Amino acid sequence: MTSTLAPATPTTRLPGRVLHQLGADTRYLLAGLPIATAAFVVLVTGFALSAGLLAIAVGLPVLGVTLLAARGFADVERHGLRAVSRRPTPRPAYRAADPSRNVYRRAITPLTQGQSWLDMLHGIVGFVVSIVTFTLTVAWWASAAGGLTYGIWERFLPGGGNDVVVTAVLGSYSHAGEIALFTALGAVFAITLVPMMRGLAGMRAGLSRALLVEVGENAAA
């Protein structure tokens, strides 16, 4: 008789999928702040500049260019969504500038499209959300890694460790108790790492989807 290997079941593939998703979520959250910072600086600067130039009729084209920049940042975010979401992230249909119009009319075409303003809104609000998600991501990973390896590097701490913290938690200080306490805390952060990263990625992705994908889908429908 010949035997064949049964295909891997979803259960046996689960650890790999979980680790893959954890990596995708973490990359999405860590990359979010640098991109969001660049978007915030460019868009706020462009908007302020256009407001200052409105009196000489140059402000509207500058605002149009700023909205085009917001569209570019929105496309970058939609690309990131594909790595963390199991749902499609189609790009809304933007109205192309009429080539028969003059340069001024073509430059202000983005001002007439609602999605352009949503792209701008995302670039500003998304900066605040990215600060929160980036900070918690770094803190969670550092707490997990630092706690689990505390027994290795705690001897290099100036002052000899965390006597006050250990005494407050355990009632009395001991070196073994200190290592056990912080290792246990690291284990708690490690165990909750996957759901925490999934939740943070979902929070940031939810805002992006609401402003950059779903509104465009509804408008197209």
Side-chain angles (χ1 to χ4, degrees), residues 85-135:
S85 175
R86 298 180 180 88
R87 299 167 58 188
T89 57
R91 186 178 192 262
Y94 293 95
R95 187 182 308 112
D98 188 346
S100 65
R101 298 292 187 93
N102 57 40
V103 175
Y104 184 88
R105 290 288 185 180
R106 293 199 300 270
I108 65 174
T109 297
L111 277 67
T112 64
Q113 303 176 60
Q115 184 60 51
S116 295
W117 295 100
L118 291 174
D119 295 344
M120 170 81 82
L121 178 62
H122 177 270
I124 296 173
V125 177
F127 174 64
V128 179
V129 175
S130 293
I131 291 175
V132 175
T133 56
F134 179 91
T135 302

Side-chain angles (χ1 to χ4, degrees), residues 2 13 27 29 35 43 46 61-62 66 74-75 85 110 124 128-129 139 148 150 171 177 181 200 219:
T2 60
R13 294 195 300 265
R27 288 192 299 271
L29 293 167
I35 297 172
L43 300 183
V62 171
T66 303
D75 285 337
S85 175
I124 296 173
V128 179
V129 175
L148 291 176
Y150 186 77
L181 174 61
L200 292 175

